[in-house]
Amino acid sequence: MTLAIVLAAGAPAAGLPTGTGEPLTDRLADQLRRAGADRVAAVADLDELAALVDTVTGPVVVTGADLVAHTAVLRHLATSPVGPTVALVLTDPPAAGRTAVREERGQVVEAGPALADATGVFGGALRVGADDLPALAAAARAASSTAPARDASGTAPARDASGTAPARDASGAPAAGPAVDRLFAALTDLGTLTFAQRVRLLVAHRVTEPAELAAAEAAVAGVDEDRAELRLSVKERDDFFTSYFVSTWSPYVTKGCARLGLTPTGVTMVSVLFALVAAVLFGAGGRPALVAGAVLLYLGFVLDCVDGQLARYTRHFSAWGGWLDTMADRAKEYLVYAGLGYGATHAGFRYGWALAIAAMTLQTVRHMTDAWYGVLHDEAARRPRPAASGGGIGGKLNAASTRVQADTGSVSYWLKRTVVFPIGERWALIAVTAALFGPLVSLVSVLVWGVLAFAYTGALRTLRARWMWVPVLDTVDATLHRDDGPLAARLPVVRPMGPLTLAVIGALGPAALLVVGLLRLAGDGDPGGLRWWLPVALLVLLVAGLGAGAAHNGPLDWLVPAALRAGEYLFAAVVGVVGGVPAWLIFGYVFVLTVHHYDLTARLEKRQAAPPLHPWTLGWEGRSVLLTMAAIAGFAALGMATLGTYLLVVFVASVVLAWVVLPARATRTAAVPVRGGSPG
């Protein structure tokens, strides 16, 4: 944050003296500096604010002059990682002139002076990202005039489907009340995506008179700010195992890490090391090693929670840190699967690696559906269905889910959160079963619970998605997230069947051949005789490419990326079984594929650009064609090892480019002064 603006217009409390004698406006300015603002400006009206915003290029915090809050509240608003534009939302009773807010999934979807279904009130402060500064300036000018708020094209957009215009009084002038409220309402009218920042454990109130000011100051003084921040480092809603077996004591570790000066990234790397050692111990076998591995796995998960808590406690957020945390979580889990697979095989079970590959494939496909279902829900929140469409089983399931989620701490609440097999429960299950029964039971347990959880979430989400009917792949680069290559782009488009149907058909070919190959292998037969069936399986897989150029606007098309991942991973397994590739090498190749695909998902969730070397990854269909050629030529193992190494090198190079080279180049470019004057 570089600029903070205090907007005093319409706030009668601006000149009130605080308990220390200084005006409330001056104290807010001082708090904003302590919250991280490089510069604080006080403006008298919205036109002055608009003119000032026109001159800046970085994020801006705007606050009214009637806010009494902990400095941490302003610091959390200024550093919130949820999105570029964030508004403070309170649960205070609505007051005259104040803006009511309706939220969906943490997003402000409506704001106005009187909302029948309001979920909170605007807290009089917001942070606006650099990309939304033009909208902020336009909103300021619209709110200060009698004209309706207009977008960049000069069109006056409606607030909602009913065509409601920005709030006005009876004379047609802007609605009375603090200018910051009118500004926020106008910004919402312009369609700016704004996330809600709720106040929890800390104190924030808007005041209008001396008695309210005194009461708010007393409330602020009654809360230990640092202690509250440490408690706030723990997620408000987490899973059962994490809530009761980790978060009850992890804040003490977080506090210690902060005192030692450790960074969240440093804690993440230590947690990776713990998981790696645990995987080695699981592979070594023997009761002492299995118990030690289980303990290290648990401690590694604690540190996995601590890195996020440390980031929230110290407010050290970065795009790199968020990306690394997502990637490290999956890498740790799959390294543990590798240790369990090796351990089960070493203990005499023939298909230990096969179970590990199955667990990794299942979990990756599940994660893909989780990520895209989250995107679906976020998009649905911005485009809510009319009230008349609330019937049907999908609508009833949606309402039931909302009721259960609101009943925090109930049996149904914890059952709902646990049955989906979240990461805390997965790691707890692995640790307990590995220590007590060994790697084989651990892998089987993960697969059984994972399949049941996938069936449960898949069925319910399908019904709810059909009810919502919100396309999401058409809102992003579908080619990127499908992971299509040059060949898929050149295939003809088959529109009547839809991209999801084609992707599912594509996955069935490899699945059928894999079953036949495994049955032959189990019967001590030679699956190598199926080598000439690989082109047939490849052709079936390529059916999925016939939907590459089609519109992905069906109610279930958010499942397309997951179906494509399943198809490619199954085909790689088929090539490995038919081509006699060592099981550990098949696992390694699929692991590299998952890293590549998680990179795409992490960038989607963190709103980051595509990997700079993505075209070099060849696409799912290109990689599958190369594997087929190598297998037919009799070099399946060499081909898989070579292609996997190539993809890993491309991934590492892409990471270095995205997080080291390109940012450094951008910094140097920004530091070069622009020379003015006309050429001589």
Side-chain angles (χ1 to χ4, degrees):
M1 177 178 62
T2 57
L3 174 64
I5 301 174
V6 180
L7 179 60
L16 290 178
T18 63
T20 58
E22 62 181 335
L24 181 55
T25 302
D26 292 347
R27 187 172 71 182
L28 269 172
D30 180 62
Q31 286 184 293
L32 288 166
R33 293 186 187 94
R34 285 187 280 129
D38 297 324
R39 182 163 63 105
V40 178
V43 297
D45 55 43
L46 289 166
D47 288 325
E48 186 179 351
L49 182 144
L52 180 58
V53 169
D54 285 337
T55 65
V56 298
T57 57
V60 172
V61 169
V62 180
T63 178
D66 56 358
L67 180 63
V68 178
H70 283 105
T71 301
V73 172
L74 297 173
R75 182 166 59 250
H76 292 183
L77 177 69
T79 58
S80 175
V82 299
T85 298
V86 186
L88 191 65
V89 176
L90 308 178
T91 56
D92 292 355
R98 302 281 170 78
T99 298
V101 170
R102 185 168 66 84
E103 307 162 64
E104 290 281 351
R105 288 181 60 84
Q107 303 172 76
V108 176
V109 295
E110 191 174 8
L115 297 178
D117 52 354
T119 57
V121 294
F122 175 51
L126 68 155
R127 185 199 68 200
V128 181
D131 292 341
D132 291 331
L133 290 180
L136 177 63
R141 292 187 173 96
S144 69
S145 68
T146 57
R150 296 182 179 275
D151 59 21
S153 67
T155 303
R159 183 191 304 255
D160 52 31
S162 65
T164 304
R168 307 279 163 189
D169 62 20
S171 67
V180 70
D181 287 85
R182 304 200 307 271
L183 173 66
F184 177 62
L187 187 66
T188 305
D189 289 333
L190 289 173
T192 304
L193 176 59
T194 305
F195 293 87
Q197 176 79 23
R198 285 282 184 171
V199 178
R200 187 167 61 95
L201 301 181
L202 296 167
V203 175
H205 294 294
R206 298 180 69 182
V207 300
T208 57
E209 56 187 34
E212 293 179 345
L213 174 58
E217 288 183 316
V220 169
V223 175
D224 185 324
E225 190 169 9
D226 182 71
R227 189 172 181 178
E229 284 199 271
L230 185 59
R231 290 177 60 192
L232 284 170
S233 68
V234 178
K235 290 181 180 178
E236 182 179 6
R237 292 188 175 190
D238 219 326
D239 304 312
F240 183 83
F241 180 80
T242 306
S243 297
Y244 290 101
F245 295 93
V246 176
S247 297
T248 50
W249 65 280
S250 60
Y252 300 106
V253 182
T254 300
K255 183 77 170 182
C257 291
R259 287 179 175 174
L260 291 172
L262 298 180
T263 64
T265 298
V267 175
T268 298
M269 300 314 296
V270 175
S271 73
V272 171
L273 179 62
F274 275 39
L276 178 60
V277 176
V280 172
L281 291 172
F282 289 150
R287 191 62 58 198
L290 293 174
V291 172
V295 172
L296 283 176
L297 187 64
Y298 169 67
L299 294 177
F301 179 65
V302 172
L303 292 178
D304 183 45
C305 297
V306 167
D307 62 4
Q309 293 173 9
L310 183 62
R312 288 185 287 272
Y313 180 59
T314 60
R315 311 308 294 177
H316 287 166
F317 300 110
S318 67
W320 158 253
W323 177 88
L324 179 65
D325 183 57
T326 299
M327 299 299 294
D329 284 350
R330 302 289 73 78
K332 287 184 296 185
E333 185 170 1
Y334 295 164
L335 286 173
V336 170
Y337 289 174
L340 293 172
Y342 177 84
T345 304
H346 186 65
F349 182 69
R350 185 179 182 184
Y351 301 107
W353 279 110
L355 291 179
I357 295 169
M360 179 169 58
T361 299
L362 172 65
Q363 199 54 49
T364 303
V365 172
R366 283 191 62 209
H367 278 141
M368 296 299 131
T369 61
D370 291 345
W372 283 101
Y373 188 69
V375 176
L376 172 77
H377 250 300
D378 289 341
E379 188 66 24
R382 291 190 283 272
R383 295 189 286 178
R385 292 171 63 92
S389 63
I393 188 170
K396 293 176 181 177
L397 286 172
N398 192 66
S401 177
T402 301
R403 286 195 302 270
V404 171
Q405 289 286 62
D407 192 13
T408 307
S410 67
V411 174
S412 58
Y413 173 84
W414 287 122
L415 283 175
K416 187 179 190 306
R417 295 193 70 92
T418 303
V419 72
V420 298
F421 205 22
I423 184 170
E425 276 65 13
R426 290 200 304 276
W427 285 50
L429 181 67
I430 292 171
V432 172
T433 53
L436 296 179
F437 308 108
L440 175 59
V441 173
S442 187
L443 280 173
V444 171
S445 300
V446 168
L447 278 168
V448 170
W449 194 343
V451 168
L452 292 175
F454 194 27
Y456 166 77
T457 57
L460 295 184
R461 288 173 177 178
T462 297
L463 291 171
R464 294 177 67 183
R466 289 186 64 84
W467 170 75
M468 288 186 281
W469 202 289
V470 176
V472 291
L473 271 173
D474 274 359
T475 66
V476 297
D477 185 348
T479 299
L480 171 67
H481 292 289
R482 283 176 53 98
D483 195 24
D484 290 332
L487 177 58
R490 289 168 173 78
L491 291 175
V493 178
V494 177
R495 301 184 187 280
M497 299 187 70
L500 177 59
T501 302
L502 294 170
V504 171
I505 292 174
L508 292 178
L513 190 56
L514 179 61
V515 170
V516 174
L518 290 175
L519 289 175
R520 282 201 180 185
L521 195 62
D524 294 324
D526 179 16
L530 299 173
R531 182 185 306 171
W532 297 106
W533 284 95
L534 283 176
V536 177
L538 176 65
L539 288 175
V540 177
L541 178 65
L542 291 178
V543 168
L546 299 177
H552 290 64
N553 54 9
L556 300 181
D557 283 348
W558 54 278
L559 291 167
V560 168
L564 291 173
R565 303 299 87 85
E568 183 179 8
Y569 299 170
L570 289 171
F571 188 80
V574 166
V575 171
V577 171
V578 173
V581 179
W584 61 266
L585 180 55
I586 302 174
F587 182 95
Y589 177 75
V590 177
F591 175 79
V592 172
L593 290 180
T594 65
V595 169
H596 164 62
H597 290 132
Y598 275 119
D599 185 22
L600 295 178
T601 304
R603 291 171 181 275
L604 172 73
E605 294 176 335
K606 308 300 180 183
R607 304 178 187 86
Q608 295 160 0
L613 298 181
H614 180 72
W616 291 74
T617 60
L618 309 175
W620 60 269
E621 79 288 359
R623 296 187 292 266
S624 299
V625 168
L626 290 177
L627 285 182
T628 303
M629 294 171 62
I632 292 176
F635 302 103
L638 178 61
M640 187 171 287
T642 303
L643 183 56
T645 302
Y646 166 77
L647 292 173
L648 185 60
V649 169
V650 170
F651 170 76
V652 173
S654 186
V655 170
V656 173
L657 274 175
W659 300 110
V660 180
V661 176
L662 295 180
R665 185 180 300 169
T667 301
R668 288 195 301 269
T669 302
V672 176
V674 179
R675 296 184 180 181
S678 57

